[in-house]
Amino acid sequence: MNDLDRQLTELQERFGAAVAAAPSAQALDDARVAFLGRNGEVTSVRRSIGTLPPEARPAAGKRINLAVEAMERMLGDAQVRLEARAFETELAQVVDVTYPGIEPPVGTIHPVRRITEQASAYFARHGFAVVVGPEVEPDYYTFDALNIPSDHPAREGFDSFWLTDSLLLRPHTSPMQIRTMQQHRPPVAIIAPGKCYRRDAVDARHLFQFHQIEGLLVAEGVHFGHLKGMLSGLCRELFGPEQQVRFRPSFFPFTEPSAEVDTTCPRCHGHLQRCGMCGGSGWIELGGAGMVHPNVLREVEYDPDVYSGWAFGVGVERLGLTRYGVDDIRRFINSDPDFLEQLR
Ligand code: FA5
């Protein structure tokens, strides 16, 4: 090691100690001026190059430059360290970082959506496609094509929100039967979940806007047993094997024979004579179903002598009453976070 090396190494060590100990930006700058400034120690070493023989000067210059680079790196690191320390000190004055955090509220999937997804997954497993359709429908799809002509009393059962003389907010998802069959030749197997609207008085079982899931299977040799099997399976999937479900003869103009699917009352379980949910019958209705009426098949140019089919329409909120043991359908639309949290 020659003299210059020794001198620079010693200078670097002293500079390193000075910047490491510098308590402030000002102290750091003082060290910079003392060592690297115009009249600093490194500058006077650089000036001494003039006393060396000419052939030794380039190597000496290079050695000094290396030392300066190393010292500038030390200076930069010390600056970053000082700034971080200053930030932490400032932060500690305004925020107590050791204080336990506040857990932000996290949303959850709405039960209506959850049931729709669960039911869709069940039918998808059995080869059904999921389709969606418009909520504003012409009366043709809502009624006429479903074997309910304009003078048919069944129209009154669907107390609807009419937008014009022929357009309405759909009161059921059954128009999707017609739309699907007009677009596809049999076999067809679909479910169509979505919103429905009716001018129904709101109570423990009724809303003016609710959700249905429509189901439709048309092929050769389809019979009522398939329908019972699929709907019973859906109830088992959603409610578990213990929940009682019954099929009761009913009437819909677009199915023959027709049935309604009931389950035991989620409020009184059949034990109250004056139950506000089931009226004392012990059962609530989940949906309607039946074999697709030959007139409906003819309307979409399916030959009823070759093809048969079944259809159903179940209320999603009604499924939710039993699925979650809820005793009033209005709870699903009250946006009560505590209620939704319980069903998480
Ligand atoms: C229908 O809507 C038929 N389209 C069902 C159908 C489809 C039958 C295919 C045959 C073949 P209904 O009006 O009964 O039927 O309604 C079916 C279900 O929708 C009811 O059982 C109930 O679960 C639900 N629902 C009906 N009105 C309301 C309402 N106001 N609030 C909540 N759910 C309702």
Side-chain angles (χ1 to χ4, degrees):
M1 199 186 269
N2 60 29
D3 275 356
L4 182 64
D5 264 340
R6 236 189 312 277
Q7 203 179 353
L8 287 171
T9 306
E10 183 269 335
L11 248 176
Q12 257 173 261
E13 276 169 11
R14 274 199 292 118
F15 182 73
V19 295
S24 64
Q26 184 57 55
L28 211 55
D29 202 50
D30 291 347
R32 183 188 63 77
V33 171
F35 285 83
L36 300 167
R38 196 148 21 106
N39 298 316
E41 295 195 44
V42 177
T43 315
S44 56
V45 175
R46 205 188 281 286
R47 283 198 195 108
S48 71
I49 290 181
T51 63
L52 295 176
E55 63 281 7
R57 288 178 199 167
K62 224 180 250 173
R63 176 67 186 87
I64 295 173
N65 286 347
L66 282 177
V68 169
E69 273 171 30
M71 289 161 87
E72 280 173 347
R73 266 199 307 277
M74 286 180 198
L75 189 68
D77 290 349
Q79 255 161 355
V80 170
R81 260 198 320 274
L82 266 184
E83 275 166 23
R85 209 179 305 152
F87 177 70
E88 271 165 29
T89 313
E90 201 178 310
L91 199 65
Q93 282 162 6
V94 276
V95 184
D96 179 355
V97 289
T98 63
Y99 200 77
I102 300 166
E103 214 177 299
V106 179
T108 165
I109 295 177
H110 193 278
V112 166
R113 172 172 284 263
R114 201 186 292 274
I115 289 177
T116 305
E117 284 174 1
Q118 218 175 329
S120 303
Y122 165 79
F123 282 102
R125 272 205 315 276
H126 289 86
F128 285 68
V130 181
V131 297
V132 287
E135 290 170 27
V136 173
E137 284 281 16
D139 51 0
Y140 168 75
Y141 288 110
T142 318
F143 298 124
D144 299 77
L146 285 164
N147 200 30
I148 316 176
S150 54
D151 54 352
H152 198 293
R155 281 203 183 196
E156 283 153 32
F158 299 97
D159 200 356
S160 303
F161 293 101
W162 288 86
L163 304 176
T164 68
D165 283 350
S166 58
L167 272 183
L168 68 160
L169 292 176
R170 68 177 178 192
H172 57 168
T173 39
S174 298
M176 286 309 290
Q177 293 183 32
I178 304 300
R179 288 185 179 277
T180 304
M181 290 191 283
Q182 281 182 346
Q183 279 171 17
H184 302 279
R185 298 302 304 160
V188 293
I190 57 109
I191 61 159
K195 290 194 192 95
C196 301
Y197 304 82
R198 288 190 200 176
R199 284 155 45 108
D200 282 345
V202 172
D203 61 22
R205 277 179 303 154
H206 294 91
L207 298 170
F208 51 85
Q209 183 214 285
F210 55 97
H211 296 75
Q212 284 188 347
I213 300 174
E214 192 78 12
L216 174 72
L217 173 71
V218 184
E220 288 183 47
V222 171
H223 59 74
F224 202 92
H226 297 145
L227 171 63
K228 269 190 93 171
M230 285 303 293
L231 280 179
S232 306
L234 174 69
C235 292
R236 267 198 307 279
E237 175 100 356
L238 294 176
F239 308 149
E242 304 300 330
Q243 181 69 24
Q244 261 182 286
V245 175
R246 74 174 183 189
F247 289 77
R248 171 171 50 86
S250 185
F251 171 79
F252 295 98
F254 35 95
T255 47
E256 180 58 35
S258 303
E260 266 163 344
V261 190
D262 300 335
T263 191
T264 43
C265 174
R267 187 183 281 187
C268 77
H269 306 281
H271 299 312
L272 272 185
Q273 273 186 345
R274 288 167 187 267
C275 175
M277 173 75 86
C278 67
S281 73
W283 298 89
I284 64 153
E285 184 192 315
L286 297 174
M291 299 303 293
V292 180
H293 197 287
N295 287 353
V296 175
L297 294 177
R298 277 188 211 101
E299 178 69 28
V300 295
E301 293 173 9
Y302 283 15
D303 184 347
D305 292 329
V306 178
Y307 298 108
S308 58
W310 51 249
F312 68 82
V314 288
V316 181
E317 287 82 356
R318 294 279 181 92
L319 294 171
L321 292 175
T322 300
R323 170 82 172 77
Y324 294 109
V326 174
D327 66 359
D328 194 315
I329 203 166
R330 287 167 285 203
R331 305 208 65 179
F332 290 119
I333 58 163
N334 280 351
S335 299
D336 172 0
D338 290 339
F339 168 71
L340 296 173
E341 184 62 30
Q342 279 174 35
L343 305 189
R344 180 185 280 278

mmCIF file of all heavy atoms in Angstrom, residues 267-311:
data_model
loop_
_atom_site.group_PDB
_atom_site.id
_atom_site.type_symbol
_atom_site.label_atom_id
_atom_site.label_comp_id
_atom_site.label_asym_id
_atom_site.label_seq_id
_atom_site.Cartn_x
_atom_site.Cartn_y
_atom_site.Cartn_z
ATOM 1 N N ARG A 267 -92.103 -20.658 9.782
ATOM 2 C CA ARG A 267 -92.365 -19.882 10.999
ATOM 3 C C ARG A 267 -92.939 -20.768 12.107
ATOM 4 O O ARG A 267 -92.439 -20.790 13.217
ATOM 5 C CB ARG A 267 -93.321 -18.721 10.712
ATOM 6 C CG ARG A 267 -93.463 -17.815 11.927
ATOM 7 C CD ARG A 267 -94.465 -16.690 11.709
ATOM 8 N NE ARG A 267 -93.930 -15.586 10.924
ATOM 9 C CZ ARG A 267 -94.589 -14.448 10.738
ATOM 10 N NH1 ARG A 267 -95.791 -14.278 11.249
ATOM 11 N NH2 ARG A 267 -94.058 -13.487 10.021
ATOM 12 N N CYS A 268 -94.026 -21.535 11.791
ATOM 13 C CA CYS A 268 -94.696 -22.285 12.872
ATOM 14 C C CYS A 268 -94.489 -23.793 12.768
ATOM 15 O O CYS A 268 -94.882 -24.528 13.674
ATOM 16 C CB CYS A 268 -96.186 -21.968 12.883
ATOM 17 S SG CYS A 268 -97.107 -22.820 11.584
ATOM 18 N N HIS A 269 -93.917 -24.250 11.639
ATOM 19 C CA HIS A 269 -93.691 -25.690 11.413
ATOM 20 C C HIS A 269 -94.973 -26.496 11.626
ATOM 21 O O HIS A 269 -94.947 -27.619 12.126
ATOM 22 C CB HIS A 269 -92.562 -26.211 12.312
ATOM 23 C CG HIS A 269 -91.296 -25.423 12.155
ATOM 24 N ND1 HIS A 269 -90.439 -25.601 11.096
ATOM 25 C CD2 HIS A 269 -90.783 -24.413 12.890
ATOM 26 C CE1 HIS A 269 -89.440 -24.736 11.193
ATOM 27 N NE2 HIS A 269 -89.625 -23.999 12.265
ATOM 28 N N GLY A 270 -96.105 -25.850 11.287
ATOM 29 C CA GLY A 270 -97.383 -26.563 11.381
ATOM 30 C C GLY A 270 -97.983 -26.586 12.772
ATOM 31 O O GLY A 270 -98.964 -27.286 13.011
ATOM 32 N N HIS A 271 -97.447 -25.791 13.695
ATOM 33 C CA HIS A 271 -97.924 -25.879 15.085
ATOM 34 C C HIS A 271 -98.841 -24.722 15.494
ATOM 35 O O HIS A 271 -99.312 -24.695 16.612
ATOM 36 C CB HIS A 271 -96.725 -25.926 16.051
ATOM 37 C CG HIS A 271 -95.855 -27.126 15.818
ATOM 38 N ND1 HIS A 271 -96.365 -28.403 15.700
ATOM 39 C CD2 HIS A 271 -94.515 -27.234 15.653
ATOM 40 C CE1 HIS A 271 -95.378 -29.248 15.478
ATOM 41 N NE2 HIS A 271 -94.246 -28.566 15.437
ATOM 42 N N LEU A 272 -99.078 -23.748 14.605
ATOM 43 C CA LEU A 272 -99.879 -22.591 15.013
ATOM 44 C C LEU A 272 -101.127 -22.486 14.145
ATOM 45 O O LEU A 272 -101.035 -22.507 12.928
ATOM 46 C CB LEU A 272 -99.072 -21.303 14.829
ATOM 47 C CG LEU A 272 -98.185 -20.813 15.968
ATOM 48 C CD1 LEU A 272 -97.601 -19.472 15.568
ATOM 49 C CD2 LEU A 272 -98.970 -20.679 17.260
ATOM 50 N N GLN A 273 -102.285 -22.342 14.798
ATOM 51 C CA GLN A 273 -103.517 -22.251 14.003
ATOM 52 C C GLN A 273 -103.655 -20.892 13.335
ATOM 53 O O GLN A 273 -104.250 -20.762 12.283
ATOM 54 C CB GLN A 273 -104.714 -22.512 14.908
ATOM 55 C CG GLN A 273 -105.002 -23.992 14.993
ATOM 56 C CD GLN A 273 -106.267 -24.281 15.749
ATOM 57 O OE1 GLN A 273 -106.793 -23.421 16.441
ATOM 58 N NE2 GLN A 273 -106.739 -25.502 15.620
ATOM 59 N N ARG A 274 -103.105 -19.839 13.950
ATOM 60 C CA ARG A 274 -103.241 -18.487 13.391
ATOM 61 C C ARG A 274 -101.901 -17.951 12.899
ATOM 62 O O ARG A 274 -101.608 -16.775 13.073
ATOM 63 C CB ARG A 274 -103.770 -17.528 14.455
ATOM 64 C CG ARG A 274 -105.210 -17.737 14.810
ATOM 65 C CD ARG A 274 -105.521 -16.960 16.078
ATOM 66 N NE ARG A 274 -106.857 -17.244 16.558
ATOM 67 C CZ ARG A 274 -107.921 -16.513 16.224
ATOM 68 N NH1 ARG A 274 -107.787 -15.481 15.446
ATOM 69 N NH2 ARG A 274 -109.103 -16.839 16.695
ATOM 70 N N CYS A 275 -101.090 -18.801 12.310
ATOM 71 C CA CYS A 275 -99.750 -18.377 11.874
ATOM 72 C C CYS A 275 -99.858 -17.314 10.769
ATOM 73 O O CYS A 275 -100.582 -17.496 9.788
ATOM 74 C CB CYS A 275 -98.965 -19.583 11.352
ATOM 75 S SG CYS A 275 -97.366 -19.133 10.654
ATOM 76 N N GLY A 276 -99.137 -16.190 10.954
ATOM 77 C CA GLY A 276 -99.170 -15.099 9.975
ATOM 78 C C GLY A 276 -98.450 -15.459 8.692
ATOM 79 O O GLY A 276 -98.572 -14.764 7.684
ATOM 80 N N MET A 277 -97.694 -16.532 8.698
ATOM 81 C CA MET A 277 -96.958 -16.937 7.495
ATOM 82 C C MET A 277 -97.790 -17.907 6.657
ATOM 83 O O MET A 277 -97.998 -17.704 5.467
ATOM 84 C CB MET A 277 -95.633 -17.592 7.918
ATOM 85 C CG MET A 277 -94.844 -18.216 6.795
ATOM 86 S SD MET A 277 -94.018 -17.011 5.777
ATOM 87 C CE MET A 277 -92.509 -16.776 6.665
ATOM 88 N N CYS A 278 -98.308 -18.963 7.277
ATOM 89 C CA CYS A 278 -98.980 -20.013 6.488
ATOM 90 C C CYS A 278 -100.490 -20.012 6.694
ATOM 91 O O CYS A 278 -101.192 -20.843 6.108
ATOM 92 C CB CYS A 278 -98.405 -21.381 6.849
ATOM 93 S SG CYS A 278 -98.779 -21.894 8.544
ATOM 94 N N GLY A 279 -101.004 -19.101 7.521
ATOM 95 C CA GLY A 279 -102.443 -19.039 7.762
ATOM 96 C C GLY A 279 -102.960 -20.260 8.504
ATOM 97 O O GLY A 279 -104.145 -20.563 8.459
ATOM 98 N N GLY A 280 -102.065 -21.006 9.117
ATOM 99 C CA GLY A 280 -102.489 -22.160 9.912
ATOM 100 C C GLY A 280 -102.461 -23.463 9.133
ATOM 101 O O GLY A 280 -102.694 -24.532 9.688
ATOM 102 N N SER A 281 -102.156 -23.396 7.819
ATOM 103 C CA SER A 281 -102.153 -24.636 7.027
ATOM 104 C C SER A 281 -100.910 -25.481 7.324
ATOM 105 O O SER A 281 -100.905 -26.689 7.082
ATOM 106 C CB SER A 281 -102.171 -24.302 5.528
ATOM 107 O OG SER A 281 -100.899 -23.801 5.135
ATOM 108 N N GLY A 282 -99.862 -24.841 7.832
ATOM 109 C CA GLY A 282 -98.634 -25.582 8.120
ATOM 110 C C GLY A 282 -97.697 -25.698 6.923
ATOM 111 O O GLY A 282 -96.602 -26.232 7.035
ATOM 112 N N TRP A 283 -98.144 -25.188 5.747
ATOM 113 C CA TRP A 283 -97.329 -25.305 4.521
ATOM 114 C C TRP A 283 -97.181 -23.943 3.856
ATOM 115 O O TRP A 283 -98.105 -23.127 3.937
ATOM 116 C CB TRP A 283 -98.002 -26.253 3.521
ATOM 117 C CG TRP A 283 -98.151 -27.655 4.007
ATOM 118 C CD1 TRP A 283 -99.207 -28.160 4.705
ATOM 119 C CD2 TRP A 283 -97.216 -28.725 3.846
ATOM 120 N NE1 TRP A 283 -98.992 -29.479 4.994
ATOM 121 C CE2 TRP A 283 -97.771 -29.862 4.472
ATOM 122 C CE3 TRP A 283 -95.966 -28.847 3.233
ATOM 123 C CZ2 TRP A 283 -97.127 -31.097 4.496
ATOM 124 C CZ3 TRP A 283 -95.330 -30.078 3.252
ATOM 125 C CH2 TRP A 283 -95.895 -31.181 3.885
ATOM 126 N N ILE A 284 -96.068 -23.705 3.197
ATOM 127 C CA ILE A 284 -95.989 -22.542 2.297
ATOM 128 C C ILE A 284 -95.592 -23.020 0.901
ATOM 129 O O ILE A 284 -94.910 -24.022 0.737
ATOM 130 C CB ILE A 284 -95.006 -21.437 2.777
ATOM 131 C CG1 ILE A 284 -93.575 -21.954 2.798
ATOM 132 C CG2 ILE A 284 -95.430 -20.833 4.089
ATOM 133 C CD1 ILE A 284 -92.571 -20.827 2.609
ATOM 134 N N GLU A 285 -96.067 -22.216 -0.088
ATOM 135 C CA GLU A 285 -95.863 -22.603 -1.480
ATOM 136 C C GLU A 285 -94.488 -22.134 -1.952
ATOM 137 O O GLU A 285 -94.105 -20.982 -1.732
ATOM 138 C CB GLU A 285 -96.980 -21.917 -2.285
ATOM 139 C CG GLU A 285 -97.010 -22.258 -3.728
ATOM 140 C CD GLU A 285 -97.958 -21.288 -4.458
ATOM 141 O OE1 GLU A 285 -99.084 -21.031 -3.957
ATOM 142 O OE2 GLU A 285 -97.533 -20.781 -5.491
ATOM 143 N N LEU A 286 -93.776 -23.041 -2.604
ATOM 144 C CA LEU A 286 -92.471 -22.675 -3.165
ATOM 145 C C LEU A 286 -92.573 -22.315 -4.642
ATOM 146 O O LEU A 286 -91.845 -21.450 -5.143
ATOM 147 C CB LEU A 286 -91.485 -23.842 -3.022
ATOM 148 C CG LEU A 286 -91.133 -24.281 -1.604
ATOM 149 C CD1 LEU A 286 -90.269 -25.538 -1.647
ATOM 150 C CD2 LEU A 286 -90.411 -23.162 -0.867
ATOM 151 N N GLY A 287 -93.485 -23.005 -5.360
ATOM 152 C CA GLY A 287 -93.578 -22.729 -6.798
ATOM 153 C C GLY A 287 -94.659 -23.556 -7.464
ATOM 154 O O GLY A 287 -95.317 -24.388 -6.837
ATOM 155 N N GLY A 288 -94.804 -23.254 -8.778
ATOM 156 C CA GLY A 288 -95.771 -23.997 -9.595
ATOM 157 C C GLY A 288 -95.015 -24.838 -10.612
ATOM 158 O O GLY A 288 -93.867 -24.536 -10.948
ATOM 159 N N ALA A 289 -95.686 -25.879 -11.122
ATOM 160 C CA ALA A 289 -95.003 -26.774 -12.055
ATOM 161 C C ALA A 289 -96.032 -27.587 -12.832
ATOM 162 O O ALA A 289 -97.234 -27.544 -12.532
ATOM 163 C CB ALA A 289 -94.085 -27.716 -11.281
ATOM 164 N N GLY A 290 -95.578 -28.309 -13.826
ATOM 165 C CA GLY A 290 -96.484 -29.198 -14.548
ATOM 166 C C GLY A 290 -95.909 -29.620 -15.883
ATOM 167 O O GLY A 290 -94.794 -29.234 -16.239
ATOM 168 N N MET A 291 -96.697 -30.421 -16.612
ATOM 169 C CA MET A 291 -96.286 -30.852 -17.952
ATOM 170 C C MET A 291 -96.679 -29.769 -18.954
ATOM 171 O O MET A 291 -97.820 -29.292 -18.939
ATOM 172 C CB MET A 291 -96.984 -32.171 -18.323
ATOM 173 C CG MET A 291 -96.637 -33.322 -17.389
ATOM 174 S SD MET A 291 -94.856 -33.653 -17.292
ATOM 175 C CE MET A 291 -94.495 -34.235 -18.942
ATOM 176 N N VAL A 292 -95.745 -29.373 -19.806
ATOM 177 C CA VAL A 292 -95.991 -28.280 -20.762
ATOM 178 C C VAL A 292 -97.240 -28.591 -21.590
ATOM 179 O O VAL A 292 -97.370 -29.686 -22.160
ATOM 180 C CB VAL A 292 -94.768 -28.065 -21.689
ATOM 181 C CG1 VAL A 292 -95.034 -26.930 -22.677
ATOM 182 C CG2 VAL A 292 -93.510 -27.783 -20.870
ATOM 183 N N HIS A 293 -98.174 -27.637 -21.634
ATOM 184 C CA HIS A 293 -99.455 -27.833 -22.319
ATOM 185 C C HIS A 293 -99.229 -28.005 -23.829
ATOM 186 O O HIS A 293 -98.398 -27.284 -24.411
ATOM 187 C CB HIS A 293 -100.340 -26.600 -22.058
ATOM 188 C CG HIS A 293 -101.781 -26.847 -22.346
ATOM 189 N ND1 HIS A 293 -102.274 -26.960 -23.626
ATOM 190 C CD2 HIS A 293 -102.846 -27.015 -21.514
ATOM 191 C CE1 HIS A 293 -103.573 -27.173 -23.582
ATOM 192 N NE2 HIS A 293 -103.946 -27.209 -22.285
ATOM 193 N N PRO A 294 -99.962 -28.929 -24.473
ATOM 194 C CA PRO A 294 -99.783 -29.126 -25.925
ATOM 195 C C PRO A 294 -99.959 -27.830 -26.722
ATOM 196 O O PRO A 294 -99.280 -27.623 -27.737
ATOM 197 C CB PRO A 294 -100.878 -30.142 -26.290
ATOM 198 C CG PRO A 294 -101.199 -30.833 -25.010
ATOM 199 C CD PRO A 294 -100.912 -29.871 -23.892
ATOM 200 N N ASN A 295 -100.851 -26.939 -26.271
ATOM 201 C CA ASN A 295 -101.029 -25.664 -26.995
ATOM 202 C C ASN A 295 -99.758 -24.827 -26.997
ATOM 203 O O ASN A 295 -99.475 -24.105 -27.943
ATOM 204 C CB ASN A 295 -102.158 -24.833 -26.356
ATOM 205 C CG ASN A 295 -103.521 -25.421 -26.663
ATOM 206 O OD1 ASN A 295 -103.620 -26.362 -27.456
ATOM 207 N ND2 ASN A 295 -104.562 -24.885 -26.021
ATOM 208 N N VAL A 296 -99.013 -24.900 -25.885
ATOM 209 C CA VAL A 296 -97.755 -24.142 -25.799
ATOM 210 C C VAL A 296 -96.731 -24.759 -26.754
ATOM 211 O O VAL A 296 -96.024 -24.048 -27.483
ATOM 212 C CB VAL A 296 -97.218 -24.126 -24.346
ATOM 213 C CG1 VAL A 296 -95.855 -23.452 -24.265
ATOM 214 C CG2 VAL A 296 -98.214 -23.431 -23.416
ATOM 215 N N LEU A 297 -96.678 -26.086 -26.797
ATOM 216 C CA LEU A 297 -95.747 -26.755 -27.721
ATOM 217 C C LEU A 297 -96.099 -26.393 -29.170
ATOM 218 O O LEU A 297 -95.219 -26.100 -29.986
ATOM 219 C CB LEU A 297 -95.779 -28.272 -27.507
ATOM 220 C CG LEU A 297 -95.255 -28.773 -26.147
ATOM 221 C CD1 LEU A 297 -95.422 -30.284 -26.042
ATOM 222 C CD2 LEU A 297 -93.790 -28.389 -25.948
ATOM 223 N N ARG A 298 -97.397 -26.377 -29.472
ATOM 224 C CA ARG A 298 -97.817 -26.056 -30.838
ATOM 225 C C ARG A 298 -97.432 -24.618 -31.185
ATOM 226 O O ARG A 298 -96.994 -24.322 -32.296
ATOM 227 C CB ARG A 298 -99.340 -26.220 -30.989
ATOM 228 C CG ARG A 298 -99.735 -27.650 -31.257
ATOM 229 C CD ARG A 298 -101.212 -27.812 -31.604
ATOM 230 N NE ARG A 298 -101.637 -29.123 -31.133
ATOM 231 C CZ ARG A 298 -102.325 -29.344 -30.018
ATOM 232 N NH1 ARG A 298 -102.754 -28.336 -29.272
ATOM 233 N NH2 ARG A 298 -102.618 -30.574 -29.651
ATOM 234 N N GLU A 299 -97.564 -23.697 -30.209
ATOM 235 C CA GLU A 299 -97.251 -22.283 -30.434
ATOM 236 C C GLU A 299 -95.800 -22.101 -30.908
ATOM 237 O O GLU A 299 -95.490 -21.227 -31.703
ATOM 238 C CB GLU A 299 -97.488 -21.493 -29.132
ATOM 239 C CG GLU A 299 -97.156 -20.012 -29.191
ATOM 240 C CD GLU A 299 -98.115 -19.231 -30.089
ATOM 241 O OE1 GLU A 299 -99.280 -19.645 -30.236
ATOM 242 O OE2 GLU A 299 -97.668 -18.191 -30.652
ATOM 243 N N VAL A 300 -94.898 -22.958 -30.408
ATOM 244 C CA VAL A 300 -93.470 -22.826 -30.785
ATOM 245 C C VAL A 300 -93.084 -23.872 -31.834
ATOM 246 O O VAL A 300 -91.895 -24.118 -32.081
ATOM 247 C CB VAL A 300 -92.550 -22.951 -29.548
ATOM 248 C CG1 VAL A 300 -92.774 -21.807 -28.588
ATOM 249 C CG2 VAL A 300 -92.734 -24.298 -28.833
ATOM 250 N N GLU A 301 -94.120 -24.461 -32.441
ATOM 251 C CA GLU A 301 -93.931 -25.429 -33.536
ATOM 252 C C GLU A 301 -93.135 -26.664 -33.114
ATOM 253 O O GLU A 301 -92.264 -27.132 -33.835
ATOM 254 C CB GLU A 301 -93.313 -24.720 -34.752
ATOM 255 C CG GLU A 301 -94.296 -23.722 -35.321
ATOM 256 C CD GLU A 301 -93.727 -22.838 -36.426
ATOM 257 O OE1 GLU A 301 -92.610 -23.104 -36.874
ATOM 258 O OE2 GLU A 301 -94.419 -21.902 -36.810
ATOM 259 N N TYR A 302 -93.409 -27.122 -31.901
ATOM 260 C CA TYR A 302 -92.933 -28.438 -31.461
ATOM 261 C C TYR A 302 -94.132 -29.375 -31.610
ATOM 262 O O TYR A 302 -95.250 -29.000 -31.234
ATOM 263 C CB TYR A 302 -92.539 -28.441 -29.977
ATOM 264 C CG TYR A 302 -91.219 -27.818 -29.599
ATOM 265 C CD1 TYR A 302 -90.505 -26.996 -30.465
ATOM 266 C CD2 TYR A 302 -90.681 -28.060 -28.339
ATOM 267 C CE1 TYR A 302 -89.295 -26.428 -30.077
ATOM 268 C CE2 TYR A 302 -89.477 -27.503 -27.937
ATOM 269 C CZ TYR A 302 -88.787 -26.678 -28.816
ATOM 270 O OH TYR A 302 -87.612 -26.126 -28.421
ATOM 271 N N ASP A 303 -93.923 -30.583 -32.115
ATOM 272 C CA ASP A 303 -95.032 -31.523 -32.302
ATOM 273 C C ASP A 303 -95.353 -32.222 -30.970
ATOM 274 O O ASP A 303 -94.543 -33.012 -30.472
ATOM 275 C CB ASP A 303 -94.634 -32.554 -33.371
ATOM 276 C CG ASP A 303 -95.783 -33.510 -33.697
ATOM 277 O OD1 ASP A 303 -96.784 -33.527 -32.936
ATOM 278 O OD2 ASP A 303 -95.663 -34.239 -34.701
ATOM 279 N N PRO A 304 -96.541 -31.938 -30.381
ATOM 280 C CA PRO A 304 -96.869 -32.534 -29.071
ATOM 281 C C PRO A 304 -97.049 -34.054 -29.141
ATOM 282 O O PRO A 304 -97.051 -34.721 -28.103
ATOM 283 C CB PRO A 304 -98.181 -31.850 -28.668
ATOM 284 C CG PRO A 304 -98.684 -31.156 -29.871
ATOM 285 C CD PRO A 304 -97.598 -31.064 -30.888
ATOM 286 N N ASP A 305 -97.187 -34.611 -30.375
ATOM 287 C CA ASP A 305 -97.278 -36.078 -30.476
ATOM 288 C C ASP A 305 -95.898 -36.724 -30.398
ATOM 289 O O ASP A 305 -95.782 -37.927 -30.163
ATOM 290 C CB ASP A 305 -97.954 -36.476 -31.798
ATOM 291 C CG ASP A 305 -99.419 -36.052 -31.782
ATOM 292 O OD1 ASP A 305 -100.006 -36.036 -30.678
ATOM 293 O OD2 ASP A 305 -99.936 -35.699 -32.859
ATOM 294 N N VAL A 306 -94.863 -35.915 -30.591
ATOM 295 C CA VAL A 306 -93.493 -36.454 -30.543
ATOM 296 C C VAL A 306 -92.804 -36.054 -29.240
ATOM 297 O O VAL A 306 -92.144 -36.859 -28.594
ATOM 298 C CB VAL A 306 -92.657 -35.923 -31.751
ATOM 299 C CG1 VAL A 306 -91.217 -36.450 -31.678
ATOM 300 C CG2 VAL A 306 -93.322 -36.276 -33.067
ATOM 301 N N TYR A 307 -93.021 -34.804 -28.863
ATOM 302 C CA TYR A 307 -92.271 -34.278 -27.717
ATOM 303 C C TYR A 307 -93.183 -34.024 -26.525
ATOM 304 O O TYR A 307 -94.354 -33.669 -26.683
ATOM 305 C CB TYR A 307 -91.588 -32.953 -28.092
ATOM 306 C CG TYR A 307 -90.595 -33.122 -29.212
ATOM 307 C CD1 TYR A 307 -90.875 -32.637 -30.489
ATOM 308 C CD2 TYR A 307 -89.391 -33.786 -28.995
ATOM 309 C CE1 TYR A 307 -89.981 -32.804 -31.524
ATOM 310 C CE2 TYR A 307 -88.487 -33.967 -30.031
ATOM 311 C CZ TYR A 307 -88.783 -33.468 -31.287
ATOM 312 O OH TYR A 307 -87.894 -33.643 -32.304
ATOM 313 N N SER A 308 -92.620 -34.209 -25.353
ATOM 314 C CA SER A 308 -93.317 -33.798 -24.129
ATOM 315 C C SER A 308 -92.305 -33.080 -23.253
ATOM 316 O O SER A 308 -91.094 -33.206 -23.464
ATOM 317 C CB SER A 308 -93.896 -35.011 -23.396
ATOM 318 O OG SER A 308 -92.846 -35.918 -23.087
ATOM 319 N N GLY A 309 -92.820 -32.331 -22.282
ATOM 320 C CA GLY A 309 -91.873 -31.579 -21.446
ATOM 321 C C GLY A 309 -92.504 -31.173 -20.137
ATOM 322 O O GLY A 309 -93.722 -31.263 -19.960
ATOM 323 N N TRP A 310 -91.655 -30.775 -19.228
ATOM 324 C CA TRP A 310 -92.169 -30.204 -17.995
ATOM 325 C C TRP A 310 -91.541 -28.843 -17.757
ATOM 326 O O TRP A 310 -90.482 -28.518 -18.326
ATOM 327 C CB TRP A 310 -91.983 -31.113 -16.793
ATOM 328 C CG TRP A 310 -90.614 -31.703 -16.515
ATOM 329 C CD1 TRP A 310 -90.268 -33.006 -16.624
ATOM 330 C CD2 TRP A 310 -89.441 -31.012 -16.024
ATOM 331 N NE1 TRP A 310 -88.962 -33.187 -16.253
ATOM 332 C CE2 TRP A 310 -88.429 -31.978 -15.871
ATOM 333 C CE3 TRP A 310 -89.145 -29.694 -15.709
ATOM 334 C CZ2 TRP A 310 -87.140 -31.667 -15.425
ATOM 335 C CZ3 TRP A 310 -87.864 -29.376 -15.260
ATOM 336 C CH2 TRP A 310 -86.876 -30.355 -15.120
ATOM 337 N N ALA A 311 -92.219 -28.065 -16.913
ATOM 338 C CA ALA A 311 -91.710 -26.733 -16.571
ATOM 339 C C ALA A 311 -92.045 -26.464 -15.115
ATOM 340 O O ALA A 311 -92.961 -27.065 -14.548
ATOM 341 C CB ALA A 311 -92.352 -25.673 -17.465
#
